[in-house]
Amino acid sequence: MQSAISQRTAVANPADAGAPPSDAIVRRRVSAELDGEFVVFLIGMRINTLWKIWSWLPVVIAMGRMQAELARDPELGLLLSANFFSGPRNVMTVQYWRGFDHLEAYARGKTNKHLPAWQDFNRTKAAGADVGIWHETFVVKDGAYETLYNNMPRHGLGLAGRIVDSVGRRNEARQRMQGAGVEA
């Protein structure tokens, strides 16, 4: 399976103060930290009928509009959004949110771009099978995760939060998972 990042939207984050630019290679082992509980939201679409561009292109355009809206307004709660492609049919967006309440408020907000796009999909696309959509939501408790990046630009949670040297209690995966109740 071949994947490629197409777009990365990092929303202004106070933890970024003094951090290297997001495309600079961090030449050491680091981990990511984000204070408190947060949400990882995966959302995607599958193009089931490639040649029916008129069916799936509006879904792609709507997602782009939502991502632009979220990038313009950090108060909505999005920390990071990154798009990935797997072959010609599958698009996935990985998003990090401050919390579930922010995600739900955005999804249901009557003045936000999501609700009319969702209603339009249900009215015009859901009955057909030319394009499918999906999402998965994970609430991550404070400290209940582990990360490692080595000779990488800031990536994923390292962009949504802050990076710290992977030494001491952050040296091994099991040690980094102690916040999740994993015993050393």
Side-chain angles (χ1 to χ4, degrees):
M1 174 171 27
Q2 195 174 34
S3 295
I5 298 175
S6 69
Q7 172 188 355
R8 192 175 357 188
T9 306
V11 177
N13 181 355
D16 275 347
S22 63
D23 60 346
I25 294 174
V26 178
R27 297 181 163 275
R28 62 189 191 280
R29 290 178 79 229
V30 295
S31 295
E33 287 187 348
L34 186 60
D35 295 329
E37 186 176 284
F38 61 92
V39 168
V40 178
F41 183 64
L42 308 177
I43 185 166
M45 65 175 270
R46 183 177 192 279
I47 301 168
N48 296 322
T49 312
L50 282 170
W51 63 272
K52 290 189 178 179
I53 296 170
W54 62 87
S55 284
W56 53 264
L57 187 59
V59 179
V60 172
I61 291 169
M63 183 53 127
R65 288 180 179 151
M66 286 181 264
Q67 289 177 332
E69 176 180 55
L70 287 161
R72 281 191 305 270
D73 188 356
E75 293 303 312
L76 292 171
L78 180 72
L79 300 172
L80 175 73
S81 182
N83 296 328
F84 298 86
F85 294 89
S86 177
R89 296 180 182 273
N90 295 293
V91 180
M92 178 178 72
T93 300
V94 177
Q95 295 181 337
Y96 296 87
W97 288 77
R98 280 193 206 128
F100 183 77
D101 290 343
H102 285 92
L103 173 61
E104 184 181 42
Y106 178 74
R108 295 180 181 275
K110 294 187 185 336
T111 61
N112 299 333
K113 297 203 179 294
H114 175 268
L115 190 58
W118 177 243
Q119 291 168 336
D120 181 64
F121 181 88
N122 283 328
R123 189 175 59 256
T124 64
K125 308 280 186 267
D130 297 332
V131 60
I133 59 172
W134 60 274
H135 77 258
E136 298 175 357
T137 307
F138 304 91
V139 176
V140 182
K141 301 294 182 189
D142 190 18
Y145 58 91
E146 76 87 24
T147 63
L148 179 72
Y149 314 94
N150 196 345
N151 293 328
M152 284 282 298
R154 292 174 61 223
H155 181 79
L157 194 60
L159 274 170
R162 64 185 172 278
I163 57 172
V164 294
D165 288 330
S166 198
V167 296
R169 69 174 182 81
R170 295 183 195 98
N171 191 46
E172 296 179 12
R174 181 166 292 278
Q175 294 169 319
R176 292 188 295 271
M177 286 300 292
Q178 285 181 354
V182 174
E183 294 181 28

